[in-house]
Amino acid sequence: MTLYSRPRMATLMEHTLGTVTLPGTHRAVAVGRHWAAALLEAGGRKGNDDALLVLGELAANAITHTRSGTTGGRFVVALVEAGEDGVRIEVTDEGADTVPAPRHDDTDALSGRGLQIVAALAADWGVRTAGEGRMVWALLR
């Protein structure tokens, strides 16, 4: 994990596939996954299960742990093609007083493993400030 870092600067091999702004609701997490699945498939990418799981975890964290989940809150999802074989998922929230970090809760806990899943599936991930909010990103190969 790279805490409060910038994802690598865009190169000639990187470009944004798409960006969507969604309401800060649990239903919007599923909408974001469906949007991303269609976008990745349209771009010829196959086997996107890991990317969609990571997106779902990051979006769920945004609405659970930040102001994005309050009445009228929103979050933004961006997909960036990172080289020939990579995609970076970026979820920008409306900010919180906490810092995203993997939790090491009781193994019987029903929640709290989202960033552990992200760390296990991503080649790298991190957090950076984005206006009054922050962007959590994950690079998948």
Side-chain angles (χ1 to χ4, degrees):
M1 178 198 73
T2 308
L3 188 60
Y4 282 97
S5 72
R6 269 193 126 75
R8 282 189 245 163
M9 296 302 291
T11 66
L12 294 177
M13 297 297 293
E14 288 189 351
H15 70 275
T16 300
L17 298 171
T19 303
V20 64
T21 301
L22 297 165
T25 65
H26 289 283
R27 180 172 284 167
V29 174
V31 171
R33 281 195 313 263
H34 290 294
W35 168 83
L39 190 61
L40 292 168
E41 187 175 316
R45 292 187 176 270
K46 304 280 186 218
N48 297 308
D49 291 345
D50 288 353
L52 299 177
L53 178 56
V54 166
L55 187 153
E57 294 296 340
L58 297 180
N61 282 350
I63 63 169
T64 302
H65 301 293
T66 77
R67 288 182 282 282
S68 291
T70 61
T71 301
R74 299 177 303 181
F75 65 97
V76 177
V77 176
L79 296 180
V80 178
E81 188 172 75
E84 291 181 22
D85 62 347
V87 64
R88 189 173 58 243
I89 300 160
E90 302 174 351
V91 176
T92 304
D93 62 46
E94 294 185 339
D97 295 330
T98 58
V99 176
R103 291 169 40 192
H104 300 284
D105 289 343
D106 178 4
T107 56
D108 293 332
L110 297 177
S111 64
R113 293 184 191 87
L115 289 179
Q116 290 176 2
I117 292 169
V118 171
L121 295 176
D124 195 12
W125 73 278
V127 182
R128 72 174 179 92
T129 57
E132 293 185 24
R134 62 182 168 217
M135 185 248 287
V136 183
W137 58 271
L139 177 65
L140 284 94
R141 298 272 178 218

